[in-house]
Amino acid sequence: MPDRYADAVRARRAELRELRARLAGGHRAELRSCLALGRLAAAGEAAAALAALRREVAAHVRCGDRHVHEMLPIRLQGAVVAVAAAVVSSWGEGVRPPLRRIATERGLEVEPGWPPLPAPRAVRVPPATEPIEPLPSFLTGVAEGAALWRLALLPLAVLPLLGLPALGGPALTPLAVGAGGAAVVLAAVARRTAARRARLHRTAEQVLAAAAAAIDADLDRRTIELERAAAAALDTAVLCRRAAVDRELARLAAGSGAADG
């Protein structure tokens, strides 16, 4: 007749030995691996979000009007803060389950909210450091437009010198003057618009670069703080659990010896 008690004791001892092997200290390596993977995933998410934001900013700079351009730096700051918050939230949701799995596989008792994530800290992006250069004045644009207008009219002035009639004669003089004036104004406006867009684009690039650096630094800080706290908690729990396993193995060995005797 099989001895069911002895079979149960042997099965329990095998289970405890297997658990004892998992409590040998490999939890720290698994912890670092999980945190490294979480850090890489968060960095990729941040890069993708900032790239999408960069494309959106470029579209606003290219097609937006003056009001959109004036509001863009403020909106960009808010968008960067939102991206940083979303990345940190996703990072926390991604690293917590693997860390709990490390504890569960070793039979460790942890609290429902373990591991506690590092305290939130707002990611502050410094403003762009590009020196503010004055936009070209309207008079500067007018002067440049007038110079271009004179160059455009130069062939018409040379025609009489070559013995050729001027196109249209005096009848088209008012029209030519009006067209030239319009060209002067358009050149001035176009130059100021191009300068404003170029400055706005440089400012946005500086803000996005600073945001990427700030998000990376915050992720590094959170990863280091979480590793320290989780490693200390796991070390303590592993020691307690290993001591409990050793005591149970000793009791089973003593009971088995007494039964054999």
Side-chain angles (χ1 to χ4, degrees):
M1 182 176 180
D3 190 346
R4 295 182 178 179
Y5 176 77
D7 292 341
V9 169
R10 283 192 293 270
R12 179 58 178 166
R13 290 174 66 179
E15 180 182 349
L16 290 174
R17 290 193 184 101
E18 182 181 354
L19 178 58
R20 182 66 170 75
R22 291 198 298 269
L23 295 170
H27 59 280
R28 276 185 171 266
E30 289 189 38
L31 172 64
R32 287 191 292 269
S33 177
C34 291
L35 291 178
L37 291 176
R39 174 68 176 82
L40 289 175
E45 182 178 349
L50 291 177
L53 187 57
R54 180 176 285 105
R55 291 191 296 269
E56 184 178 352
V57 168
H60 284 302
V61 171
R62 184 173 58 253
C63 304
D65 56 14
R66 186 182 183 88
H67 176 70
V68 172
H69 290 174
E70 291 176 352
M71 296 300 298
L72 188 58
I74 299 175
R75 294 177 179 175
L76 180 58
Q77 289 282 344
V80 163
V81 172
V83 167
V87 169
V88 168
S89 176
S90 178
W91 170 81
E93 294 175 358
V95 298
R96 180 169 278 160
L99 266 58
R100 291 189 64 86
R101 176 185 54 79
I102 294 174
T104 302
E105 289 179 349
R106 290 163 174 78
L108 307 179
E109 295 183 0
V110 294
E111 299 177 356
W114 189 88
L117 299 178
R121 186 182 302 174
V123 175
R124 300 186 181 277
V125 180
T129 57
E130 179 185 359
I132 299 178
E133 300 176 357
L135 289 174
S137 65
F138 185 78
L139 292 179
T140 302
V142 168
E144 293 183 356
L148 294 175
W149 179 41
R150 288 195 297 269
L151 290 176
L153 294 180
L154 183 60
L156 299 180
V158 173
L159 289 178
L161 299 179
L162 300 177
L164 299 175
L167 297 178
L172 293 182
T173 299
L175 181 60
V177 172
V184 168
V185 174
L186 289 176
V189 173
R191 188 174 188 275
R192 285 180 60 85
T193 301
R196 183 172 64 249
R197 288 176 176 173
R199 176 193 291 179
L200 193 59
H201 179 73
R202 291 192 300 269
T203 300
E205 286 297 325
Q206 290 182 2
V207 171
L208 290 173
I215 292 174
D216 282 343
D218 187 59
L219 287 174
D220 289 339
R221 176 189 66 83
R222 290 175 179 274
T223 301
I224 292 173
E225 291 182 4
L226 181 57
E227 181 179 357
R228 290 174 179 171
L234 287 174
D235 287 344
T236 302
V238 164
L239 289 176
C240 294
R241 183 58 175 156
R242 191 162 56 198
V245 169
D246 290 340
R247 287 194 299 269
E248 187 173 355
L249 283 172
R251 286 196 301 269
L252 291 176
S256 177
D260 293 340

